[in-house]
Amino acid sequence: MTLKDVSVSEILRPEDGGSSPGLAEAAQIRYLSPDDTEFTLTEGHMLNVKAGGKEHVGVYVHCSFPHTNKRIYLSIRTVENEEIGMIRSLDEFPEETQRMLEEQVELRYFAPEISKVLSVKEEFGYSYWDAETTSGYCRFTVRGGGGSVKLMTASRLLIVDVDGNRFIIPHLDRLSDKEYKMVEVCM
Amino acid sequence: MNLNFTLPERELEAVSQAVGEHIRYCVPVDLTLGGQRTEGYFVIGEQKWALLLEGRVVDSRLITDAKEYKVVPLIGSAVLEGDEAGTKFILTRLSMKHAARYGYIAQILNDMSRQRTIRIYNDEEEPVCASCGGSLIPGTRVCPKCMNKAAAFKRLVSVAMNHKKTFAIGLAVTLAASAISMAGPYFQKLLVNSSLQPPPGQSPSVPVFIWAILGLLFVLVGGEGLGIIKGRIMAGVSSQIAADLRKLVYERIQSLSLGFLTTQRAGDIMNRVTSDTDRIRNLVQELFTTAVFQLIILVSASVLLFSADWRLACVVLLPAPLVAYIQRYIWKGVLWKLFRKQWRVYDKANSFLHDVLSGIRVVKAFGKEEREVKRFKQYNAEFAAATIQTEKVFSILSPISNYLIQMGQYLVLLIGCNMILGKQMSLGELVQFSGYAGMIYGPIAWLMFMPRWLSNAIISVDRIFSVIDEQPEVMDSEASVKHSIQGTITFRNVIFGYKSYEPVLKEINVEIKPGEMIGLVGHSGSGKSTLINLVSRFYDVNEGEILIDGVDIRRIEQAHLRSQIGVVLQETFLFSGTILDNIRYSKPEATYEEVLEAARIANAHDFILRLPDGYDTRLEENGGNLSGGERQRLAIARAVLNDPRILILDEATASLDIDTESAIQEALQRVTRNRTTLAIAHRLSTLRHADRLIVLDKGEIAEIGTHAELVAKRGIYYNLITAQRNMSKKAEAVG
C-alpha cells in the first residue's frame, strides 16, 4: 500500500506535538535542544555539531518531510548515516543557527524550482525539458514511463532527470495553460 | 570517461598561475555552492588543485594538505569533500551529471595526496553524446539528437537484403495492385459515357457497357486479390527480418559479459528482443504495403488529375495540405491527449485497486474498509469524468474530420457541375475526375502521420544495433587454451573495482591448494562475492593476475573454464521444465545414472523419489512447487553433475532453516571432498569444515588461517563469531 494519498495533516498532526509515552520510551529518539547543542560552520562550508559535550565534524542535516515541511523533525547525521540527534523544529533555535541549518538543508536537498517551463518535447520514450529555474536556465532529459515525474502532494511535482538531478514544480496550479499542457503529457 | 577537458584560452592563464603550467586533469563544474548553475572547471596540477568559476580562480590549495577526498552524493547534487587535519571542507559542488566523473577525481586526489601512483583505469563509458554533449538514452550509446537516422536505416537494409527476392516479388505485386486501382475511375467513366449518359452525338453502346462492367469487376476482384497476396508476402518478409534481428540480438546478449548485462535492466533487454524487433517488423510491413502503395497512388492520381484538367486539379490539390494538417491537429493535438489522460486516470484507478485488493488483509486488520471505499469512489468518479470528456470531444470531432476529407470532393462537384452546365465536360469525365480526387486525400493524411512512427521505428533499429555492436568486455584471445583444472587458484596482486575509481578488491595475494575448502568471511560489501566472480572470470582484473594451476585465467577459454566450475548461489534459479532437465542443465549429455548420482550426492534423490512424478516432475515457474531447501538441493545437484574441479558456494544455505541446512551441509561435505571449494557464508557455523578461512575487510585480506588459529588471534573473525554466538544464545533464551 502506498501512503501517497494520505494527506499531509494525517502524517504530521502538528497540533499534538508529541507521542504516546509508550512509543517514545521504546523509540528513544534523542532530541537536541538549543541549551546543550552548538552548531558551527567550518571555513570549508561543513557543519560541525557539539551535542552533549561530544563534538562531531562534517555532519549533514536530513529532513523527515523534505516535500511538506523542511523546518520540522530534522535529523543531524554523520556521513556514515548515524543519527546524532533530532531537532523538533528549527523555531526552537536561535536565528543564526536556523540560518546555518537552513543553508545545510538547501545544500543536501537540491531541487531547483522551475519558474517557467519553456518547452517539453517528448520523443522516443524520453522527454526533453527547457526551463527557467531558481538555479538558472536548465536543459534536462527525463525518462518516460512513470517513476521520473511524480506528484509529491496534490500540486507539487517532482521531476528526476536521467542523471538523478531533481527539479520541482512547486505549484502545478499556478502554471499557465500552455505550460501545464506541456507538463501534463509527461505525468 | 573524459577527465581532461580543454580549458578555454582566457581561463588557461588564470589556472596556470594557480596550479602551474602543467594541468594533469581538468573537469567541468556546473554548480556554485549556493546552488546556482554556473560554468567552471576543477583543475588538478602537479601539486595543487584549483576551482575556477566564471573565469576566475576562487579557491586553490595544495593537494597534500588534505586527505580522504570523497564524493558525497546528496539529494539531487553531490559535493567533493576533503579532510584537512580533522576538519572537513567542501572543495566544490556538482550536479549529478558529473557525479561519476568526480568519483575518479576523488580517487586521483587521494592517490596524489598519499604520493602513490594514480590508479585509474579509465575505461568507463562517457554517458554523454560525444558530438553534442547531451544526455544519452541510458543503457545505450544513442543520442536522440545526433542519431544518424540514415545510417541506422542502411544497417536495416543490409539485413533486409537477405530477402531481396521476396521483396522484389512483393514490390511487383504492389505496383500491379496500384495500377489496377488506378483503372477503377477509368472504367467508371466508360460506364457512364457508354450507357448512362452518353455525350452528345454518341449513342449508348452495349459492348462498351459490358466491357466497362467487366472492367469494374476486374478492378474489384483483382485489386482485392493482389492486396491479399501483397499482405501475405510482406507479412512473411517482415516477420523473417524481425526474426533475423531477434536472433542477432539474442546471440549477442548471450555472449556479452556479466558486466554489461548487470548495468542493463532486464526489462530493457527484454524490450530490445521483443518490442523493438516487433516495431521494426511493423516498419517493414507498413513501409512496403501501405507506404509504397500510398505513394504510388498519390503520384499517379495527381498526374492523371493534372492531365485531365489542370484547373480542377489545382482546386483539388491546393486545400489538401491544409486539410491534412487540420486532420493531424485534431488527432494528435486534441484527441490523442484526451485519450492519454483517460488512460492515465484508468491506470491510477487500476493500480489503486490492485494495491488495495492485494493488501486486503491489512485493510481488514486495521478496520479501514470505509476509508478505502471512499478513496475508490474518488478514483472511480475521476475516471468516469475523463471518459465522458473524451467521448464528448470525440463524437464532435470525428464527423468533422471525416467531412474535411470529403471537402475536396465537394469542391470538385461544385466546379465540375458548373463545367457540365457550360458543356465543357461530360458526366463521365466528372465521375472519373472525382474518383481520382477521392484517392488523393487518404495518402496525404497518412503521410502526415508517417514521420512520427518512422522515427520511432528508426530509434528501435538503432537500439537493436547498439546491442549487436556491443563488444564483450571479457573476451577469449587467440592464444586461449583449453586447460583441465587441477584445482590450484592463485591470486597475485589482484586489484579490481566495478568502477575503477572504487576498488572493491585491493592487493589480494593468496594461494589456494587443490582440494582445499576455503571459507570467505567478512561484512557485506567487503568483496567476497566479487572475489568469486573473478574466479569465474565474469570480470577481468584491473591489475595483477589470477592463475589456475599456474595458468592465467585470461588465457583459458571461457566456456572451457566455466564448464569446470560449479556454482551454487543463494538465489537458486530453476528453469521451467522437469527436474531431470534442470539437473542436466550443466551437462545436457549426462546419463540417467549420472543424474541419479548427482542427486544422491546433493541429498535430493530421496525427496525426488517421494514425488509422484519422480524425476519427471514438471517445475512451475522457478520451482514454485518445491520448498526452498529442495530447490537448493537441486541447484547443488546441478552444480556437481559436471564433476567440477572448483566449486563455488555463495551463501548457498543462507535462506534455509537450521534443519534443512544441516541436511544440505551433510550433502555439501560429501560434494566438496577433493574439490577446491570457495564458500561464502554469513552463518559462520556453516564454515566449520573449511580448511582455511579468509577474512576480507574493505577489500583487503585481513586475516587468514584455520578456525582455531583465527579464534586464537582474537581479531575480526573472533569478534564475528562471538557476536553470532551471543545472538543465537539470546534467541534461544527468548525462544
Side-chain angles (χ1 to χ4, degrees):
Chain A
M1 285 242 314
T2 58
L3 283 175
K4 62 182 176 218
D5 306 298
V6 181
S7 71
V8 181
S9 60
E10 272 177 82
I11 305 172
L12 290 187
R13 294 192 207 287
E15 68 280 3
D16 59 31
S19 63
S20 66
L23 276 185
E25 199 190 323
Q28 289 189 332
I29 291 177
R30 176 179 175 195
Y31 286 100
L32 301 175
S33 80
D35 311 327
D36 68 342
T37 317
E38 196 191 337
F39 289 98
T40 47
L41 209 57
T42 71
E43 230 176 276
H45 306 281
M46 301 284 296
L47 189 66
N48 293 348
V49 64
K50 201 171 185 179
K54 204 176 163 205
E55 169 114 39
H56 303 269
V57 295
V59 299
Y60 285 93
V61 184
H62 294 232
C63 290
S64 301
F65 310 105
H67 286 283
T68 45
N69 193 339
K70 281 186 186 168
R71 292 179 60 84
I72 57 170
Y73 296 103
L74 303 180
S75 168
I76 312 298
R77 290 174 173 261
T78 64
V79 74
E80 277 86 29
N81 203 26
E82 265 170 63
E83 185 167 271
I84 296 159
M86 288 200 81
I87 291 174
R88 274 210 180 83
S89 165
L90 274 185
D91 296 334
E92 295 172 3
F93 283 78
E95 235 166 71
E96 199 190 334
T97 311
Q98 285 189 30
R99 252 203 316 280
M100 206 186 285
L101 291 178
E102 269 174 353
E103 196 184 291
Q104 289 295 314
V105 167
E106 290 309 319
L107 178 72
R108 180 173 167 77
Y109 295 91
F110 184 61
E113 291 186 355
I114 292 177
S115 44
K116 189 168 172 53
V117 182
L118 298 173
S119 93
V120 180
K121 260 204 300 188
E122 211 205 5
E123 222 176 3
F124 317 131
Y126 289 82
S127 52
Y128 303 90
W129 293 60
D130 275 315
E132 295 286 353
T133 73
T134 47
S135 154
Y137 169 75
C138 290
R139 297 183 76 154
F140 50 95
T141 307
V142 179
R143 184 183 285 136
S148 298
V149 179
K150 280 180 278 197
L151 266 180
M152 301 312 290
T153 67
S155 74
R156 187 179 166 90
L157 194 71
L158 170 70
I159 302 147
V160 184
D161 80 354
V162 288
D163 293 314
N165 294 308
R166 297 155 77 94
F167 300 89
I168 291 280
I169 296 180
H171 303 284
L172 262 184
D173 39 342
R174 289 190 204 159
L175 290 178
S176 71
D177 273 357
K178 194 180 153 209
E179 289 173 300
Y180 187 81
K181 265 186 199 152
M182 292 192 285
V183 172
E184 197 199 10
V185 177
C186 305
M187 280 158 63
Chain B
M1 184 161 291
N2 189 356
L3 297 178
N4 216 341
F5 284 72
T6 318
L7 270 176
E9 198 64 41
R10 69 187 172 111
E11 293 176 337
L12 203 60
E13 204 174 310
V15 167
S16 56
Q17 275 175 10
V19 303
E21 285 294 317
H22 186 225
I23 292 171
R24 295 186 71 169
Y25 297 95
C26 171
V27 290
V29 172
D30 59 355
L31 270 188
T32 64
L33 203 60
Q36 288 297 314
R37 291 273 169 168
T38 184
E39 267 183 40
Y41 292 91
F42 185 85
V43 185
I44 298 178
E46 289 297 341
Q47 314 269 325
K48 294 169 94 177
W49 60 262
L51 177 65
L52 240 99
L53 293 181
E54 313 275 334
R56 279 190 324 113
V57 175
V58 293
D59 200 359
S60 173
R61 298 189 200 194
L62 274 174
I63 293 166
T64 44
D65 276 357
K67 53 187 180 11
E68 284 178 39
Y69 294 96
K70 65 179 159 212
V71 173
V72 182
L74 305 173
I75 316 286
S77 74
V79 289
L80 178 62
E81 210 184 79
D83 186 320
E84 192 174 346
T87 315
K88 300 213 169 155
F89 68 103
I90 295 177
L91 286 82
T92 181
R93 192 176 185 186
L94 42 128
S95 81
M96 298 309 278
K97 185 177 166 189
H98 296 302
R101 202 187 308 282
Y102 275 82
Y104 284 102
I105 291 296
Q107 184 64 22
I108 288 169
L109 287 171
N110 280 331
D111 285 339
M112 286 177 77
S113 115
R114 287 193 220 164
Q115 310 198 317
R116 290 186 307 212
T117 345
I118 295 174
R119 280 221 170 84
I120 288 290
Y121 312 98
N122 195 359
D123 47 9
E124 200 170 318
E125 293 287 330
E126 180 72 27
V128 293
C129 171
S131 48
C132 78
S135 302
L136 297 181
I137 295 180
T140 69
R141 285 164 202 171
V142 179
C143 171
K145 279 180 200 144
C146 308
M147 209 188 64
N148 186 345
K149 296 187 178 180
F153 201 68
K154 254 187 209 158
R155 301 283 306 267
L156 180 62
V157 170
S158 68
V159 175
M161 280 320 270
N162 294 335
H163 307 275
K164 55 186 168 198
K165 258 191 200 159
T166 338
F167 261 123
I169 298 173
L171 214 57
V173 175
T174 308
L175 278 171
S178 33
I180 290 181
S181 312
M182 297 311 298
Y186 171 75
F187 286 118
Q188 281 173 0
K189 181 184 90 173
L190 223 55
L191 186 73
V192 173
N193 283 358
S194 68
S195 51
L196 296 180
Q197 198 191 40
Q202 281 180 29
S203 50
S205 147
V206 176
V208 178
F209 168 75
I210 291 173
W211 272 118
I213 287 286
L214 283 179
L216 279 176
L217 190 70
F218 170 69
V219 168
L220 209 68
V221 177
E224 286 300 319
L226 283 180
I228 293 172
I229 296 172
K230 177 184 72 175
R232 287 183 63 147
I233 292 175
M234 285 308 166
V237 158
S238 56
S239 304
Q240 275 297 324
I241 291 175
D244 288 355
L245 287 172
R246 264 199 297 274
K247 197 175 125 237
L248 277 173
V249 178
Y250 189 72
E251 274 173 6
R252 177 53 69 173
I253 288 172
Q254 291 291 345
S255 73
L256 282 176
S257 330
L258 205 59
F260 172 78
L261 296 175
T262 46
T263 58
Q264 309 278 313
R265 292 176 302 174
D268 225 37
I269 299 180
M270 277 274 285
N271 265 341
R272 291 194 209 176
V273 181
T274 55
S275 55
D276 278 343
T277 50
D278 200 56
R279 225 184 263 173
I280 293 177
R281 186 186 60 75
N282 258 326
L283 168 80
V284 174
Q285 201 167 342
E286 277 281 289
L287 207 59
F288 285 93
T289 49
T290 322
V292 172
F293 185 70
Q294 301 275 33
L295 272 177
I296 295 174
I297 296 280
L298 181 65
V299 171
S300 41
S302 311
V303 169
L304 287 172
L305 280 181
F306 274 100
S307 58
D309 191 305
W310 68 269
R311 285 158 305 174
L312 259 187
C314 284
V315 172
V316 174
L317 280 177
L318 283 182
L322 181 74
V323 171
Y325 180 78
I326 296 175
Q327 271 276 69
R328 183 178 141 98
Y329 175 76
I330 289 178
W331 282 96
K332 208 187 142 193
V334 184
L335 285 177
W336 192 60
K337 278 193 181 146
L338 280 174
F339 275 122
R340 274 182 69 130
K341 192 179 162 202
Q342 188 186 332
W343 290 328
R344 243 194 343 267
V345 177
Y346 177 73
D347 261 4
K348 221 165 101 183
N350 245 358
S351 59
F352 167 79
L353 208 59
H354 180 84
D355 210 26
V356 171
L357 289 183
S358 39
I360 194 77
R361 287 175 65 121
V362 182
V363 175
K364 295 225 163 260
F366 286 95
K368 296 290 183 203
E369 294 92 333
E370 221 164 285
R371 180 164 172 267
E372 296 306 332
V373 170
K374 227 186 263 170
R375 290 212 292 169
F376 182 71
K377 262 187 197 160
Q378 189 193 331
Y379 282 121
N380 201 18
E382 262 177 48
F383 178 56
T387 317
I388 291 170
Q389 196 193 2
T390 316
E391 291 298 328
K392 249 192 211 159
V393 177
F394 188 77
S395 65
I396 299 170
L397 287 184
S398 165
I400 293 182
S401 124
N402 280 336
Y403 275 118
L404 278 175
I405 289 188
Q406 284 155 21
M407 199 173 71
Q409 297 274 28
Y410 174 77
L411 287 174
V412 169
L413 281 182
L414 186 81
I415 299 172
C417 291
N418 255 325
M419 288 169 87
I420 292 178
L421 289 175
K423 306 264 188 257
Q424 288 163 298
M425 193 184 240
S426 71
L427 180 61
E429 277 164 348
L430 180 65
V431 169
Q432 183 187 19
F433 196 90
S434 68
Y436 289 136
M439 285 181 172
I440 280 195
Y441 284 83
I444 290 181
W446 187 86
L447 282 176
M448 292 301 262
F449 287 99
M450 201 175 80
R452 190 181 168 88
W453 69 253
L454 194 66
S455 56
N456 272 342
I458 293 283
I459 269 281
S460 292
V461 174
D462 213 86
R463 274 160 57 93
I464 283 184
F465 282 109
S466 77
V467 177
I468 294 177
D469 295 342
E470 189 73 37
Q471 288 304 321
E473 293 155 39
V474 176
M475 287 217 287
D476 284 333
S477 70
E478 278 173 26
S480 295
V481 291
K482 285 196 161 73
H483 171 77
S484 295
I485 296 177
Q486 302 301 312
T488 314
I489 307 173
T490 318
F491 283 77
R492 212 177 269 167
N493 301 324
V494 169
I495 296 175
F496 174 77
Y498 297 97
K499 289 174 183 151
S500 67
Y501 61 82
E502 277 175 346
V504 182
L505 293 177
K506 304 163 200 159
E507 296 279 344
I508 299 289
N509 276 300
V510 68
E511 183 170 315
I512 299 162
K513 295 192 243 358
E516 200 175 16
M517 176 169 177
I518 297 287
L520 288 169
V521 184
H523 298 283
S524 44
S526 58
K528 305 181 299 277
S529 297
T530 308
L531 195 98
I532 57 175
N533 278 342
L534 291 183
V535 174
S536 298
R537 205 182 162 211
F538 287 137
Y539 303 90
D540 275 336
V541 295
N542 293 133
E543 227 176 87
E545 52 187 359
I546 297 172
L547 309 170
I548 289 181
D549 307 327
V551 183
D552 190 324
I553 59 167
R554 282 170 291 198
R555 286 195 47 234
I556 304 175
E557 252 178 48
Q558 288 180 67
H560 197 244
L561 172 75
R562 293 192 192 124
S563 70
Q564 299 177 76
I565 299 180
V567 183
V568 185
L569 305 171
Q570 178 180 1
E571 292 296 320
T572 48
F573 190 89
L574 300 175
F575 294 97
S576 35
T578 64
I579 288 183
L580 179 70
D581 296 338
N582 267 288
I583 298 181
R584 254 188 191 165
Y585 191 77
S586 62
K587 189 182 176 191
E589 73 281 4
T591 62
Y592 286 136
E593 211 170 303
E594 286 173 313
V595 172
L596 294 183
E597 283 161 8
R600 178 83 206 211
I601 294 173
N603 248 351
H605 184 66
D606 295 337
F607 92 76
I608 295 172
L609 285 188
R610 258 204 319 275
L611 295 171
D613 302 319
Y615 281 83
D616 292 327
T617 305
R618 285 206 87 80
L619 297 182
E620 285 163 17
E621 199 181 318
N622 196 14
N625 43 349
L626 299 179
S627 75
E630 289 166 344
R631 278 205 299 274
Q632 197 59 276
R633 276 176 272 177
L634 286 190
I636 295 172
R638 175 171 67 186
V640 297
L641 175 67
N642 213 9
D643 198 14
R645 301 314 307 155
I646 297 175
L647 194 63
I648 289 173
L649 308 170
D650 188 354
E651 294 279 0
T653 54
S655 55
L656 307 176
D657 59 64
I658 299 283
D659 287 342
T660 325
E661 192 191 345
S662 55
I664 291 179
Q665 271 300 321
E666 189 200 336
L668 279 179
Q669 233 179 309
R670 245 183 285 167
V671 169
T672 56
R673 206 166 294 148
N674 297 327
R675 282 172 230 281
T676 310
T677 306
L678 291 168
I680 298 179
H682 272 126
R683 225 181 265 160
L684 297 177
S685 55
T686 316
L687 297 175
R688 59 179 174 269
H689 304 293
D691 298 309
R692 273 194 299 168
L693 295 156
I694 296 178
V695 183
L696 285 172
D697 186 39
K698 292 181 186 151
E700 290 173 80
I701 295 186
E703 294 169 9
I704 187 162
T706 62
H707 172 79
E709 284 167 9
L710 293 186
V711 169
K713 202 174 181 186
R714 307 218 154 208
I716 299 177
Y717 181 74
Y718 177 77
N719 290 336
L720 278 172
I721 214 157
T722 17
Q724 285 199 0
R725 273 196 197 138
N726 290 341
M727 278 280 278
S728 52
K729 262 183 211 158
K730 266 185 208 161
E732 272 167 32
V734 171

